[in-house]
């Protein structure tokens, strides 16, 4: 007597499909359940019966020696496969996967002898064949007059209160689509061959009905008669790879098709709502969620507005002949009635509602990759729950909990798991706060698996990866940055190795740029000693040595530089100066100021670098106003080359144009130099002047105008020459245009 095999063709992650599958299983009461999925992961299915397994979750599998090739099989609460497996486990019905093993999903180079056997694309084949394989539901939808498969499937199955015998109807439709499809590619053909063989095996041994839950597209091929020897032939040469598998938490936004997930749905949040609310009040409860979310954002939503929103949505569904008020109607009615026709307000809450913010959980007894287990322990200790949507977190590093959370997030960044993005490092003096933006992504689990080669705990792996990075670093600046990262993440072994490498590298180099690039990160490390515990003695000594070496080389390195190199070097000098001021090392200040003074006195030094050095001395009060004015007057004198004068001007004033407001003597020098320029030269340097004046806000530009033109209340005499109009009208007009650009609205 032939065993009855019932095929339940579904669409992955559809709440309507899931409900219909459960109803069909209740009616059929099969003795065995077969599900489309990797056959070598069937032993993990009983774990889904654990109440601590909270979807969304995913089965994770990867080659033992190549975790970077990991693949996932996600499940949501509303996934038909998940509900079918849960039904089987609850009713003690044997359940297993019947698809190809994991190894078939892993990337591999095709064997040379198999290349000739692969089916060649038929040049005369209609384009419908390709479309059917890519989006069979979309083809059916367009045949029914719909624009997309999502809307059609929701009308027919997901949101249809009385869909009728849907599995038979879907099977017939797919059979019609696949009648003239031509040969499949090797992997797809092997998949269906493997499922047919597994179904035949169960049918031969079973003493009652069997249920098969699979993608609707495969149903016709699984029902069709095929010789077993032909199916076995398709499986010859199967890849043999030993894999490691476990369960991993997933997130609801990663179930969306917009995330790049091929089997995803448009609105995971809406699908979960449909599953959780099976009654006739789905639209009303969804509107209640929208109202709560808008009110949480500070918007006033009245009951009357909600009633009008529901009425409009019902009317839209009726006009469109929808079986039930759907997601699109509710969204459009919400924009019209609750958002006052402004879609921007809807976009503010859209992600929270449509994508959801669910992050799955797995039981503690589930065998997981060691790093994943350690992360779960650390998250629990830090009281940080991974969430799929962005969330800001402020930390006080003076508290134990704040420091622990910060350390965990910094270690994960070293492991290339950016669960937290650092928005504010809190590095201003006297500040011990950090601000993070948290958002969990499922692929971080893969990153952690890949880091197993560095260690089995978060701390060990971060330290191992940091040590490997230290071995690859080639400059003092890179090493200093890595040491800073290691100390911030509380990795003493990696930090010690980095300091040793820094010491060795500093003794080997005489490159001033490399020396200067290391000073700022080292100063940050020394400063962080107040918030993070470590012995900074060795690092302080190293910083002093690098600073002295850099000061000695400074004026030689400032010579004969082109424009681009001059700007980069001036930036380095500024960072090094900031580092020395931050370190508050009195024995370094004098040698550093002497080095900057030598640069300002060196005729071979690049003028932009010379100007930057003079500015730093002037700001530190190591150069008097008289000396600064004398130097500025000499460098901007009529006998100086325009290009040299412009370079010095840029180095001295860029980012610090406020000096022109308060220092009459400096302003007189600049004004005299600008007036001395011919029209073409002035026009050529307009971008430079704009960069300098860009540091002034509109009120400061107004103040500068008041000073220049002797306006009432400025308390300053007119600086511009009285006969400037006669000397050069075009120049004067250009200057007025430049100065008034920022004060146009004053």
């Amino acid at each position: 007597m032939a065993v009855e095999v019932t095929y339940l063709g579904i669409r992955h992650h559809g709440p309507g499909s899931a409900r219909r599958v459960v109803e069909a299983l209740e009616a059929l009461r099969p003795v065995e359940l077969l599900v489309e999925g990797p056959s070598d992961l069937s032993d993990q299915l009983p774990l889904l019966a654990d109440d601590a397994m909270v979807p969304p979750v995913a089965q994770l599998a990867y080659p033992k020696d190549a975790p970077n090739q990991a693949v996932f099989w996600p499940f949501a609460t509303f996934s038909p496969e998940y509900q079918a497996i849960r039904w089987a486990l609850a009713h003690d019905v044997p359940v297993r996967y019947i698809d190809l093993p994991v190894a078939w999903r892993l990337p591999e180079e095709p064997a040379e002898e198999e290349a000739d056997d692969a089916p060649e694309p038929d040049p005369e084949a209609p384009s419908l064949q390709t479309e059917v394989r890519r989006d069979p539901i979309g083809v059916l939808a367009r045949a029914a007059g719909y624009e997309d498969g999502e809307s059609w499937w929701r009308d027919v199955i997901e949101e249809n209160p009385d869909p009728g015998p849907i599995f038979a109807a879907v099977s017939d439709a797919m059979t019609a689509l696949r009648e003239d499809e031509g040969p499949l590619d090797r992997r797809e053909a092997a998949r269906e061959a493997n499922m047919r063989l597994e179904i035949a095996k169960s049918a031969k041994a079973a003493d009652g009905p069997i249920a098969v839950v699979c993608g609707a597209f495969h149903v016709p091929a699984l029902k069709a008669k095929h010789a077993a020897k032909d199916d076995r032939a398709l499986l010859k040469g199967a890849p043999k790879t030993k894999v490691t598998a476990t369960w991993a938490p997933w997130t609801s936004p990663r179930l969306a098709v917009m995330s790049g997930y091929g089997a995803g749905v448009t609105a995971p949040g809406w699908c979960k709502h449909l599953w959780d609310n099976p009654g006739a009040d789905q639209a009303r409860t969804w509107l209640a969620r929208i109202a709560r979310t808008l009110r949480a954002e500070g918007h006033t939503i009245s009951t009357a507005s909600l009633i009008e929103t529901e009425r409009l949505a019902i009317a839209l569904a009726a006009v469109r002949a929808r079986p039930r008020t759907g997601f699109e109607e509710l969204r459009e009615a919400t924009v019209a009635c609750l958002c006052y026709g402004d879609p921007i307000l809807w976009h503010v809450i859209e992600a929270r509602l449509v994508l959801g913010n669910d992050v799955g959980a797995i039981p503690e007894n589930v065998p997981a990759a060691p790093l994943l287990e350690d992360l779960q322990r650390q998250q629990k200790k830090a009281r940080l729950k991974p969430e799929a949507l962005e969330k800001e977190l402020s930390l006080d590093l003076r508290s134990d909990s704040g420091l622990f959370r910060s350390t965990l997030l910094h270690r994960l960044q070293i492991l290339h798991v950016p669960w937290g993005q650092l928005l504010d490092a809190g590095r201003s003096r006297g500040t011990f706060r950090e601000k993070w933006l948290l958002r969990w992504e499922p692929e971080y689990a893969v990153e952690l698996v890949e880091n197993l080669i560095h260690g089995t705990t978060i701390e060990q792996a971060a330290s191992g990866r940091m040590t490997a990075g230290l071995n690859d670093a080639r400059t003092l600046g890179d090493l200093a940055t890595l040491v800073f990262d290691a100390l911030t993440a509380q990795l003493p072994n990696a930090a010690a190795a980095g300091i040793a490498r820094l010491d060795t590298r500093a003794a080997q180099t005489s490159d001033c740029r490399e020396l200067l690039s290391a000073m700022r990160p080292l100063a940050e490390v020394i400063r962080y000693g107040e918030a993070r515990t470590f012995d900074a003695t060795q690092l302080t000594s190293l910083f002093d040595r690098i600073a002295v070496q850099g000061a000695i080389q400074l004026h030689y390195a400032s010579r004969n530089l082109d424009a681009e190199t001059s700007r980069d070097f001036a930036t380095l000098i500024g960072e090094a100066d900031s580092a020395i001021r931050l370190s508050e090392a009195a024995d370094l200040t004098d040698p550093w100021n002497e080095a900057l003074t030598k640069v300002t006195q060196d005729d071979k030094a690049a003028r932009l670098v010379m100007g930057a050095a003079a500015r730093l001395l002037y700001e530190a009060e190591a150069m008097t106003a008289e000396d600064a004015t004398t130097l500025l007057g000499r460098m901007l004198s009529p006998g100086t080359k325009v290009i040299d004068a412009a370079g010095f001007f840029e180095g001295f004033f860029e980012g610090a144009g406020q000096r022109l407001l308060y220092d009459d003597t400096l302003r007189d020098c600049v004004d005299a130099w600008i007036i001395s320029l011919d029209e073409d030269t002035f026009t050529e340097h307009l971008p430079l002047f704009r960069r300098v004046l860009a540091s002034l806000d509109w009120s400061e530009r107004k103040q500068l105008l008041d000073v220049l033109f002797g306006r009432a209340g400025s308390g300053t005499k007119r600086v511009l020459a009285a006969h400037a109009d006669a000397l050069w009208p075009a120049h004067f007009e250009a200057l007025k245009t430049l100065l008034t650009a920022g004060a146009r609205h004053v």
Side-chain angles (χ1 to χ4, degrees):
M1 179 178 175
V3 170
E4 177 188 359
V5 179
T6 300
Y7 297 87
L8 306 177
I10 51 91
R11 183 189 180 211
H12 303 294
H13 313 306
S17 293
R19 209 176 307 281
R20 303 290 92 80
V21 164
V22 173
E23 292 170 357
L25 293 175
E26 285 287 350
L28 182 64
R29 293 286 172 168
V31 298
E32 186 176 12
L33 176 65
L34 307 179
V35 180
E36 180 185 329
S39 55
D40 49 345
L41 300 188
S42 295
D43 59 331
Q44 292 191 345
L45 294 181
L47 292 171
L48 289 178
D50 194 323
D51 291 336
M53 181 79 79
V54 181
V57 292
Q59 285 187 283
L60 163 66
Y62 54 91
K64 187 175 182 181
D65 299 325
N68 60 309
Q69 297 182 19
V71 287
F72 288 95
W73 287 267
F75 289 111
T77 307
F78 50 83
S79 299
E81 300 95 331
Y82 172 78
Q83 290 299 332
I85 294 167
R86 289 272 296 182
W87 182 91
L89 296 174
H91 292 82
D92 294 324
V93 173
V95 55
R96 64 186 181 91
Y97 284 142
I98 58 173
D99 206 342
L100 291 171
V102 173
W104 283 82
R105 288 283 300 269
L106 303 175
E108 63 171 352
E109 294 295 330
E112 292 184 4
E113 63 271 18
E114 295 174 351
D116 294 334
D117 297 334
E120 294 291 335
D122 183 359
E124 299 181 359
S127 59
L128 181 61
Q129 288 186 10
T130 304
E131 190 67 17
V132 165
R133 294 174 190 173
R134 188 183 65 83
D135 184 17
I137 293 176
V139 174
L140 289 175
R142 284 185 286 277
Y146 285 76
E147 293 183 0
D148 62 278
E150 181 88 10
S151 300
W152 176 81
W153 189 265
R154 285 206 304 265
D155 276 2
V156 174
I157 295 176
E158 307 298 345
E159 300 170 16
N160 192 341
D162 185 21
I166 60 167
F167 295 117
V170 169
S171 175
D172 292 341
M174 291 298 174
T175 300
L177 280 179
R178 298 190 62 173
E179 280 182 352
D180 302 316
E181 67 177 352
L184 297 174
D185 63 62
R186 179 173 182 263
R187 182 176 171 276
E188 284 301 307
R191 287 186 65 197
E192 294 181 345
N194 194 80
M195 286 192 277
R196 282 192 295 267
L197 291 172
E198 293 296 328
I199 293 169
K201 184 193 302 181
S202 291
K204 185 176 180 180
D207 57 357
I210 295 173
V212 178
V213 177
C214 62
F217 179 75
H218 299 296
V219 171
L222 301 186
K223 284 184 173 182
K225 299 296 184 182
H226 285 259
K229 63 183 181 71
D230 294 336
D231 283 341
R232 293 191 187 96
L234 289 171
L235 299 176
K236 285 185 178 179
K240 298 185 183 297
T241 304
K242 188 174 182 180
V243 299
T244 300
T246 185
W247 289 93
W250 204 250
T251 66
S252 54
R254 297 295 294 180
L255 295 168
V257 68
M258 64 177 292
S259 71
Y261 176 37
V265 293
T266 302
W270 171 251
C271 290
K272 185 175 186 297
H273 175 77
L274 292 180
W275 176 259
D276 293 340
N277 299 274
D281 290 336
Q282 290 174 341
R284 189 167 298 171
T285 52
W286 181 253
L287 286 176
R289 288 187 59 191
I290 292 175
R292 283 196 300 270
T293 307
L294 285 171
R295 287 166 180 162
E297 291 290 329
H299 301 285
T300 301
I301 305 297
S302 68
T303 304
S305 296
L306 285 173
I307 293 172
E308 290 305 316
T309 304
E310 183 182 16
R311 287 174 176 171
L312 177 57
I314 293 172
L316 285 172
V319 168
R320 296 169 180 174
R322 303 290 299 273
R324 177 178 287 183
T325 305
F327 168 71
E328 288 89 353
E329 289 77 29
L330 289 167
R331 178 188 59 200
E332 293 169 20
T334 297
V335 172
C337 298
L338 301 183
C339 301
Y340 310 104
D342 185 0
I344 294 178
L345 183 55
W346 165 255
H347 293 323
V348 171
I349 64 170
E350 182 179 22
R352 215 173 314 169
L353 289 167
V354 176
L355 299 181
N357 192 28
D358 296 332
V359 177
I362 58 176
E364 294 182 358
N365 61 344
V366 171
L371 279 176
L372 290 171
E373 292 179 340
D374 188 51
L375 176 61
Q376 291 170 3
R377 288 192 294 268
Q378 304 255 13
Q379 288 172 335
K380 185 176 181 180
K381 183 177 179 181
R383 297 191 299 277
L384 284 178
K385 180 182 178 181
E387 296 183 357
L389 296 182
E390 294 179 346
K391 174 185 177 182
E392 283 195 3
L393 176 69
S394 295
L395 300 178
D396 186 344
L397 302 182
R398 293 169 295 185
S399 68
D400 292 339
S401 61
L403 187 58
F404 180 82
R405 290 177 172 187
S406 172
T407 300
L408 173 61
L409 294 172
H410 279 290
R411 287 175 177 175
L412 289 174
Q413 283 196 325
I414 291 172
L415 295 175
H416 292 184
V417 178
W419 176 24
Q421 177 186 352
L422 190 58
L423 300 179
D424 182 3
R427 296 181 187 176
S428 60
R429 297 177 66 176
T431 300
F432 296 85
R433 293 189 178 275
E434 289 180 342
K435 182 179 289 186
W436 294 81
L437 186 65
L438 303 185
R439 179 177 178 174
W440 181 260
E441 297 286 358
E443 55 263 30
Y444 297 160
V446 178
E447 291 287 352
L448 285 174
V449 170
E450 293 178 14
N451 279 290
L452 281 171
I453 60 175
H454 298 297
T456 56
T457 67
I458 299 296
E459 181 178 3
Q460 290 175 355
S463 183
R465 183 153 192 161
M466 178 61 70
T467 303
L470 291 168
N471 294 332
D472 295 334
R474 293 291 177 265
T475 67
L476 275 174
D478 293 340
L479 284 169
T481 300
L482 290 174
V483 169
F484 174 78
D485 292 342
L487 289 171
T488 303
Q490 300 282 279
L491 303 173
N493 293 336
I499 293 172
R501 291 214 61 195
L502 265 174
D503 202 349
T504 302
R505 180 64 186 173
Q508 294 173 342
T509 186
S510 59
D511 186 338
C512 184
R513 293 180 184 82
E514 186 175 351
L515 293 166
L516 297 184
S517 69
M519 292 173 62
R520 181 70 189 189
L522 287 177
E524 292 285 359
V525 171
I526 294 170
R527 175 198 168 276
Y528 248 74
E530 301 176 32
R532 305 180 192 270
T533 305
F534 69 94
D535 184 4
T537 305
Q538 183 181 0
L539 211 54
T540 302
S541 175
L542 178 61
F543 175 82
D544 293 350
R545 179 152 60 89
I546 290 176
V548 171
Q549 285 181 249
I552 293 172
Q553 298 290 333
L554 186 62
H555 77 281
Y556 297 108
S558 301
R559 296 174 173 176
N560 305 318
L561 304 178
D562 59 30
E564 183 176 354
T565 307
S566 295
R567 290 189 181 89
D568 293 341
F569 193 55
T571 301
L572 277 178
I573 292 176
E575 292 177 353
D577 182 85
S578 174
I580 289 176
R581 313 297 178 197
L582 183 63
S583 70
E584 299 180 341
D587 54 342
L588 292 178
T589 303
D590 290 342
W592 179 250
N593 288 339
E594 290 175 8
L596 292 175
T597 302
K598 285 184 179 181
V599 173
T600 64
Q601 297 171 348
D602 190 345
D603 290 337
K604 295 182 180 179
R607 293 303 185 258
L608 189 148
V609 176
M610 184 187 294
R615 169 171 53 82
L616 294 173
L617 288 169
Y618 188 53
E619 287 177 345
E621 299 182 353
M623 176 183 284
T624 65
E626 292 76 11
D627 290 341
T629 302
T630 300
L631 179 61
L632 193 65
R634 178 167 63 86
M635 297 309 302
L636 300 182
S637 64
T640 306
K641 292 180 181 179
V642 173
I643 189 172
D644 290 341
F648 186 88
F649 179 82
E650 179 179 357
F652 195 94
F653 283 107
E654 185 170 16
Q658 288 88 346
R659 289 187 191 80
L660 296 173
L661 297 174
Y662 311 111
D663 197 316
D664 294 345
T665 309
L666 289 179
R667 191 171 56 247
D668 286 343
C669 290
V670 172
D671 183 62
W673 173 62
I674 291 178
I675 288 178
S676 71
L677 300 176
D678 61 70
E679 183 173 359
D680 291 339
T681 304
F682 176 82
T683 303
E684 180 183 349
H685 287 89
L686 271 177
L688 169 63
F689 301 145
R690 288 195 177 103
R691 283 204 303 273
V692 170
L693 295 175
S695 63
L696 304 178
D697 60 29
W698 70 268
S699 63
E700 290 171 329
R701 295 189 187 193
K702 178 182 181 297
Q703 186 178 350
L704 182 56
L705 283 171
D706 291 342
V707 170
L708 288 173
F709 295 110
R711 290 177 177 171
S714 66
T716 308
K717 64 181 181 67
R718 179 183 172 97
V719 174
L720 290 176
H723 56 291
D725 291 337
L727 289 175
W728 183 30
H731 172 97
F732 188 58
E733 289 300 321
L735 181 59
K736 286 197 297 183
T737 301
L738 170 68
L739 291 174
T740 56
R744 190 169 299 158
H745 302 294
V746 177

